[in-house]
Amino acid sequence: MDRRIAAVAFLAVLVACGCTMLHKPTVRSQSPEDDPAINAKLVGDMAVPTGMHAVRVEAIGLVTGLAGTGSDPGPSPQRAVLIDEMKARGVQNPNALLASKNVSLVLVQAWLRPGIQKGDRFDVEVRVPNRSQTKSLRGGYLLETRLKEMAALPDGMIHTGHEWGIAQGPVLVDPAADSNKDSLGATRGRILAGGVCLRTRRLGLVLLPEHQSVFNSSRIANAVNRRFYTFDRGIQTGVATAKTDNLIDLAVHPRYKDNVARYMAVVRSIVVEESETERMARLQRLEQHLLDPDTAPQAALQLEAIGPQAVPVLKKGLGSPSVEVQFYAAEALAYLDERDAAEPLGRIARQEPAFRVFALTALSTMNEFAAYEQLRDMLSLPSAETRYGAFRALWAMNPKDPLVAGEKITSDFGYHVLDVGGPPMIHVTRNRRPEVVIFGKDQRFATPLVLNAGNNIMITTVGPNELSVARFAVGQADQKRIVSTKVDDVLRAVVELGGTYPDVVQALQEAKAAGVLPGRFEVDALPEAGRTYQRVAAGSDSSAAVTADGPAPELFEQKGKQAGSAGKQTPAAASSEDASAANSSSKRKSSGGWLSKILPWR
């Protein structure tokens, strides 16, 4: 009997303890920094990105159409590879073709950006091998070349990986490179958008070892899909797919197609799991961080990761006296397609070079007319990089918009004549997509002049207001067009006579060098990342240089940029806006890849 009483008493105590534990308060005495509702576990705490590096693809190719500046390559592994490729394509006597001075063996290389999709285009680099007798690649055309991942094994054998792309097209050589004085510059070139990607590069998340499990992989994918999804034939589809216990496949959301690095940063800022109460508490805390310039960048990313629920908090940042806070809040709002982001982003793009590249990219993602108006108004500004940056952003926003769609006077490059105000300017590119953009439709060449457009086309004066555009080629009848001195008329005549994009760029460069192109001539006048901003302390006249850090969005990436690009004006000739930006240009170095292990890049 005593045992029964003791047992009942024990059970009563146990139940009492259990009830106490079940009703234990969820909020305990702690500092705000320790509050789990604020320090929620993010995707980035459990997984790291994969696929964010550029993939190098390479090949050996053949450039034809040279004006006697090519060479017969000597015996080498490259020559053997090229001959095998030519035989596979049905060339009857490859050695006889290679002996011509009008062709040259070249090393072909390209970099595939993270998240590139099947069918996307990319730039291609071509160079002659070391010890080659080729003097210049000017006027050349790269025949179809298949690009693959390759690696040199320790035993000297070459391992070939996946075939990633096909490349071909006219070679753009620096117009200022003289084959007699600059053999290096004359024997290397680029084919803008000359490659076509054959497969999609997927991104992914790799779980850290301590978090690897099927359960965690699934719940991270679910958290990402709650924030990001697309529609496939009307069916909502999440961007994340849990593949294994440690790998999640991640598709690129269309809104971030030109800024994949930001997309991955936002994905990693998503909370894996939190209640509505915890989210509200976190929003309050993030509002405090957003209004502090030091913590605003990360706070804005987390708010963007939350999505529409964070819009009211982000809009509070627009009213901050700090330009940095205004920018980071507006940038996040733009990716959420909020109209209120347009005006501050447009203003900051005009006034602050450090944030310009990011502001223009953010505006290009919006579907709001207010963003379109901001970009359109920038087309008439004195700043070269701002007006061309706005043009590219408008094109990314809607390539079919009549304002920036241009004309198809040739399939070789984009041609755009803009009837806008501002100083007359002509802009050409050496990256991403070949295009000529003329700001101001009535620009004219000064006379007299003599210009070359490639190896076979010459432009000369025949009268005060008339020019001759003539083509002379061995074995072909001479052709001639008489046109006005309008730049538009001359360039159309060059294309009509078979001129390519490199030919047009050469003619414009020679015109600028000769002083017969009165307006401004710019090459790749693009805003850049990594510039500094002068932060003014609240209530003080002192300032400190702060770097607007972060990788350049793909929309304005400048791979292979060469210092002193042809036609690039000095800061003294540019607007004050451009002058301040010119001091922070970044430089890149190119890598030779596996081909350099056989014969080094020159």
Side-chain angles (χ1 to χ4, degrees), residues 2 11 14 71 73 137 251 306 326 331 375 382 389 419 482 532 537 570 580 599:
D2 293 339
L11 287 175
L14 185 61
S71 65
L137 295 177
I306 291 173
Q326 292 175 35
E331 184 183 30
L375 293 171
D419 186 8
I482 303 299
T532 58
T570 62
S580 62
L599 284 180

Short mmCIF file of all heavy atoms in Angstrom, two decimals, residues 2 11 14 71 73 137 251 306 326 331 375 382 389 419 482 532 537 570 580 599:
data_model
loop_
_atom_site.label_atom_id
_atom_site.label_comp_id
_atom_site.label_asym_id
_atom_site.label_seq_id
_atom_site.Cartn_x
_atom_site.Cartn_y
_atom_site.Cartn_z
N ASP A 2 1.93 1.21 0.83
CA ASP A 2 2.86 2.34 0.86
C ASP A 2 3.54 2.55 -0.48
O ASP A 2 3.82 3.68 -0.89
CB ASP A 2 3.91 2.10 1.95
CG ASP A 2 3.27 2.13 3.34
OD1 ASP A 2 2.19 2.73 3.46
OD2 ASP A 2 3.87 1.58 4.26
N LEU A 11 4.40 9.90 -9.73
CA LEU A 11 3.76 10.25 -10.99
C LEU A 11 3.23 11.68 -10.96
O LEU A 11 3.31 12.42 -11.95
CB LEU A 11 2.62 9.27 -11.28
CG LEU A 11 3.06 7.86 -11.71
CD1 LEU A 11 1.83 6.96 -11.84
CD2 LEU A 11 3.80 7.92 -13.04
N LEU A 14 6.11 13.93 -11.48
CA LEU A 14 6.56 13.84 -12.86
C LEU A 14 5.66 14.61 -13.79
O LEU A 14 6.12 15.35 -14.66
CB LEU A 14 6.64 12.36 -13.28
CG LEU A 14 7.22 12.10 -14.68
CD1 LEU A 14 8.66 12.61 -14.75
CD2 LEU A 14 7.17 10.61 -15.00
N SER A 71 50.71 32.93 -92.20
CA SER A 71 51.93 32.12 -92.29
C SER A 71 51.59 30.65 -92.27
O SER A 71 50.51 30.25 -91.82
CB SER A 71 52.89 32.46 -91.15
OG SER A 71 52.31 32.08 -89.90
N PRO A 73 52.18 27.38 -90.48
CA PRO A 73 52.69 26.99 -89.16
C PRO A 73 53.68 25.83 -89.27
O PRO A 73 53.51 24.90 -90.06
CB PRO A 73 51.43 26.57 -88.40
CG PRO A 73 50.47 26.15 -89.46
CD PRO A 73 50.75 27.03 -90.65
N LEU A 137 46.39 39.72 -87.79
CA LEU A 137 45.11 39.04 -87.98
C LEU A 137 44.04 40.00 -88.47
O LEU A 137 42.86 39.63 -88.57
CB LEU A 137 44.65 38.40 -86.66
CG LEU A 137 45.51 37.27 -86.11
CD1 LEU A 137 44.96 36.78 -84.76
CD2 LEU A 137 45.59 36.10 -87.10
N ALA A 251 18.48 26.93 -60.51
CA ALA A 251 18.30 27.62 -61.79
C ALA A 251 18.36 29.13 -61.55
O ALA A 251 18.01 29.61 -60.47
CB ALA A 251 16.96 27.24 -62.41
N ILE A 306 13.69 38.36 -48.05
CA ILE A 306 12.36 38.15 -47.46
C ILE A 306 11.28 38.33 -48.52
O ILE A 306 10.29 37.60 -48.56
CB ILE A 306 12.14 39.12 -46.29
CG1 ILE A 306 13.06 38.73 -45.12
CG2 ILE A 306 10.68 39.13 -45.82
CD1 ILE A 306 13.05 39.70 -43.97
N GLN A 326 20.19 55.18 -48.99
CA GLN A 326 19.21 55.35 -50.07
C GLN A 326 19.48 54.37 -51.20
O GLN A 326 18.56 53.74 -51.72
CB GLN A 326 19.28 56.78 -50.61
CG GLN A 326 18.82 57.86 -49.66
CD GLN A 326 19.03 59.23 -50.26
OE1 GLN A 326 18.90 59.43 -51.47
NE2 GLN A 326 19.36 60.20 -49.43
N GLU A 331 18.14 49.78 -54.45
CA GLU A 331 18.60 48.63 -55.25
C GLU A 331 17.76 47.40 -54.93
O GLU A 331 17.30 46.69 -55.83
CB GLU A 331 20.07 48.37 -54.99
CG GLU A 331 20.66 47.26 -55.85
CD GLU A 331 22.10 46.97 -55.52
OE1 GLU A 331 22.50 47.17 -54.35
OE2 GLU A 331 22.84 46.55 -56.42
N LEU A 375 16.15 55.98 -67.40
CA LEU A 375 17.20 55.56 -68.33
C LEU A 375 17.16 56.37 -69.62
O LEU A 375 18.19 56.77 -70.15
CB LEU A 375 17.07 54.06 -68.63
CG LEU A 375 17.35 53.12 -67.45
CD1 LEU A 375 16.96 51.69 -67.80
CD2 LEU A 375 18.82 53.19 -67.03
N PRO A 382 26.12 64.52 -70.57
CA PRO A 382 27.50 64.67 -71.07
C PRO A 382 28.37 63.45 -70.77
O PRO A 382 29.29 63.14 -71.53
CB PRO A 382 28.03 65.91 -70.31
CG PRO A 382 26.81 66.61 -69.83
CD PRO A 382 25.78 65.56 -69.59
N GLY A 389 25.86 53.54 -70.70
CA GLY A 389 25.36 52.58 -69.71
C GLY A 389 23.85 52.54 -69.69
O GLY A 389 23.24 51.47 -69.57
N ASP A 419 18.29 59.63 -82.01
CA ASP A 419 17.96 61.05 -82.17
C ASP A 419 17.77 61.64 -80.78
O ASP A 419 16.66 61.82 -80.29
CB ASP A 419 16.69 61.20 -83.01
CG ASP A 419 16.37 62.65 -83.34
OD1 ASP A 419 17.23 63.52 -83.04
OD2 ASP A 419 15.29 62.92 -83.87
N ILE A 482 29.27 56.68 -104.00
CA ILE A 482 29.44 58.10 -103.70
C ILE A 482 28.34 58.50 -102.72
O ILE A 482 27.16 58.35 -103.01
CB ILE A 482 29.36 58.97 -104.97
CG1 ILE A 482 30.41 58.52 -105.99
CG2 ILE A 482 29.57 60.44 -104.61
CD1 ILE A 482 31.84 58.63 -105.52
N THR A 532 35.41 54.04 -55.28
CA THR A 532 35.23 54.54 -53.92
C THR A 532 34.24 55.68 -53.88
O THR A 532 34.05 56.40 -54.86
CB THR A 532 36.56 55.01 -53.33
OG1 THR A 532 37.12 56.04 -54.16
CG2 THR A 532 37.54 53.86 -53.23
N ALA A 537 30.45 61.97 -42.60
CA ALA A 537 29.94 61.60 -41.28
C ALA A 537 28.81 62.54 -40.87
O ALA A 537 28.85 63.74 -41.16
CB ALA A 537 31.06 61.63 -40.25
N THR A 570 40.93 60.89 -72.54
CA THR A 570 41.57 61.09 -71.26
C THR A 570 40.61 61.80 -70.33
O THR A 570 39.68 62.46 -70.77
CB THR A 570 42.83 61.95 -71.44
OG1 THR A 570 42.43 63.23 -71.94
CG2 THR A 570 43.81 61.31 -72.40
N SER A 580 36.22 61.60 -62.59
CA SER A 580 36.31 60.99 -61.26
C SER A 580 36.23 59.48 -61.35
O SER A 580 36.81 58.76 -60.54
CB SER A 580 35.17 61.51 -60.37
OG SER A 580 33.92 61.14 -60.91
N LEU A 599 52.64 25.63 -76.25
CA LEU A 599 53.36 26.81 -76.73
C LEU A 599 52.75 28.01 -76.04
O LEU A 599 51.55 28.25 -76.20
CB LEU A 599 53.23 26.95 -78.25
CG LEU A 599 54.09 26.02 -79.11
CD1 LEU A 599 53.83 26.29 -80.57
CD2 LEU A 599 55.57 26.22 -78.82
#
